[in-house]
Amino acid sequence: MIWFVLAGAVALIALYLYSLFLRGEIRQLVRTLRWTVGGALVIGAALLGLRGQMLVASFMAAGGLGVLMRGRLGPIDFGAGMSSPNNVSTVSSAYLDMRLEHETGSVTGTVRAGHFAGRELADLSAEECWAFYDEVGDDPDSLALYKSWLDANRTGWRDYFASEFGMETGDEEADADTHATTGVSGLEEAYEVLGLKPGAGPDAIKAAHRTLMKKVHPDTGGSAFLAAKINQAKDLLLKEMASRKS
């Protein structure tokens, strides 16, 4: 009877892990897998210890604690290549470093050049936001990134800028970010855009792509610029992997 219960528990855990993978929730998948494997090893060690098999139990306990505390079991890393340590994607331009949190979808940014270099976008006043908007107008990528941050963090900014500063807000202005992207420059940037470590496999790339597109797809009110960057990053990495196999 106990074996049927254990088999059922294993099947339920496997189904849950598979559902996390399908939804692209890689961080939660890794966390669940880590606690499942580590917990199973510790429980197994306790049972073996009660039966007097102390040597085997000590090895299992050490392995279980290693998984729970460090996420490692010998050469196996429960999380290597699946996501960055902070589960964050980064996109940079001449004026901005932007960060997208995978789990929350929040978009944050730091100014890297110009009059506001070193400042967080969230710390800029309304007047400073407009001044920075005017400053980055000569760089399409920076302007598109800045618009994505404004869309995510300053609702109604177009109307406000138009009324307070006389900004033109026609359809061409609103959609400029769709055409501004210059593409992903290389493999290193592609991994950063998807929030992955170099060497991530095709499954991890596709899962990260699915997760991010749910957050930034234009059909759900996201940024066309960020969506284009994410698509380009995925295509570049998968194409590179295919070329290596051929």
Side-chain angles (χ1 to χ4, degrees):
M1 181 65 181
I2 189 173
W3 294 110
F4 287 105
V5 174
L6 290 175
V10 171
L12 289 174
I13 293 173
L15 286 173
Y16 177 64
L17 293 173
Y18 185 61
S19 70
L20 291 176
F21 176 77
L22 291 179
R23 296 199 300 269
E25 297 179 15
I26 303 302
R27 190 175 186 180
Q28 182 62 32
L29 170 62
V30 173
R31 185 185 298 116
T32 302
L33 186 61
R34 177 176 173 177
W35 282 97
T36 299
V37 174
L41 287 173
V42 171
I43 293 173
L47 293 175
L48 289 175
L50 292 175
R51 297 177 59 180
Q53 301 180 30
M54 300 304 297
L55 181 61
V56 178
S58 63
F59 279 109
M60 286 187 66
L65 292 174
V67 173
L68 293 174
M69 298 175 64
R70 300 187 303 276
R72 295 189 65 88
L73 180 61
I76 302 174
D77 188 341
F78 289 86
M82 284 194 164
S83 64
S84 63
N86 296 317
N87 209 24
V88 172
S89 293
T90 60
V91 180
S92 298
S93 67
Y95 286 92
L96 283 168
D97 287 322
M98 299 286 287
R99 301 173 296 278
L100 172 64
E101 294 281 349
H102 292 198
E103 291 188 347
T104 64
S106 64
V107 180
T108 58
T110 303
V111 182
R112 61 184 301 180
H115 291 92
F116 303 102
R119 298 275 301 277
E120 290 290 324
L121 290 178
D123 295 334
L124 299 182
S125 67
E127 290 75 13
E128 289 173 330
C129 282
W130 166 250
F132 184 63
Y133 185 96
D134 190 50
E135 183 177 8
V136 301
D138 61 344
D139 182 60
D141 276 3
S142 295
L143 183 60
L145 278 177
Y146 188 39
K147 286 180 179 179
S148 70
W149 180 85
L150 289 168
D151 288 336
N153 297 276
R154 298 290 185 268
T155 303
W157 67 271
R158 296 179 192 276
D159 293 337
Y160 179 78
F161 279 12
S163 62
E164 294 294 323
F165 308 108
M167 185 189 86
E168 296 294 332
T169 56
D171 290 339
E172 182 177 351
E173 171 75 15
D175 294 333
D177 58 347
T178 303
H179 309 287
T181 181
T182 58
V184 176
S185 62
L187 297 179
E188 183 178 355
E189 183 184 358
Y191 283 118
E192 290 178 353
V193 168
L194 294 178
L196 297 172
K197 297 177 182 177
D203 290 341
I205 292 170
K206 294 175 183 177
H209 175 265
R210 283 195 300 269
T211 298
L212 293 171
M213 289 303 291
K214 291 176 183 178
K215 308 293 184 182
V216 304
H217 198 282
D219 291 344
T220 59
S223 165
F225 178 83
L226 289 178
K229 282 282 191 181
I230 292 165
N231 282 328
Q232 291 161 1
K234 182 202 72 170
D235 292 343
L236 177 62
L237 292 177
L238 292 180
K239 182 178 179 180
E240 175 67 18
M241 291 182 179
S243 67
R244 290 177 182 176
K245 291 181 179 179
S246 61

